[in-house]
């Protein structure tokens, strides 16, 4: 498979105590380079949070890889990812 983006055990929790909200819980999947991928789910399931993690706009646990390279230490401006939101 020609890997474009790979997610390995991505988790995001808002807050630091035990009552902190878990927005994304150990998600792992691959998106082949050049493919069109849609993330679907109900309101509040973590879709936007996952996209923000990909773009480097949220801290997260796990690994995001672009073409096999871990981008955890890259700032958002160097990731080449953009997000557009509709209100």
């Amino acid at each position: 498979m020609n890997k474009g983006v790979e997610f390995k055990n991505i988790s995001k929790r808002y807050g630091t105590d035990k009552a902190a909200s878990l927005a994304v819980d150990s998600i792992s999947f691959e998106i082949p380079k050049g493919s069109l991928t849609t993330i679907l789910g109900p309101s509040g399931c973590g879709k936007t949070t996952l996209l923000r993690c990909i773009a480097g706009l949220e801290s997260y646990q796990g690994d995001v890889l672009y073409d096999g390279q871990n981008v955890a230490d890259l700032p958002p401006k160097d990731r080449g990812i953009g997000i557009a939101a509709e209100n």
Side-chain angles (χ1 to χ4, degrees), residues 28-79:
S28 296
F29 64 100
E30 298 174 9
I31 301 173
K33 186 179 272 188
S35 70
L36 178 62
T37 302
T38 303
I39 300 172
L40 300 172
S43 179
C45 74
K47 300 178 302 288
T48 300
T49 299
L50 181 63
L51 293 174
R52 290 179 56 82
C53 291
I54 295 166
L57 301 174
E58 294 285 350
S59 61
Y60 56 88
Q61 293 181 332
D63 296 311
V64 176
L65 293 90
Y66 297 156
D67 291 326
Q69 177 188 3
N70 193 332
V71 296
D73 294 330
L74 288 179
K77 69 179 184 70
D78 294 336
R79 292 189 183 204

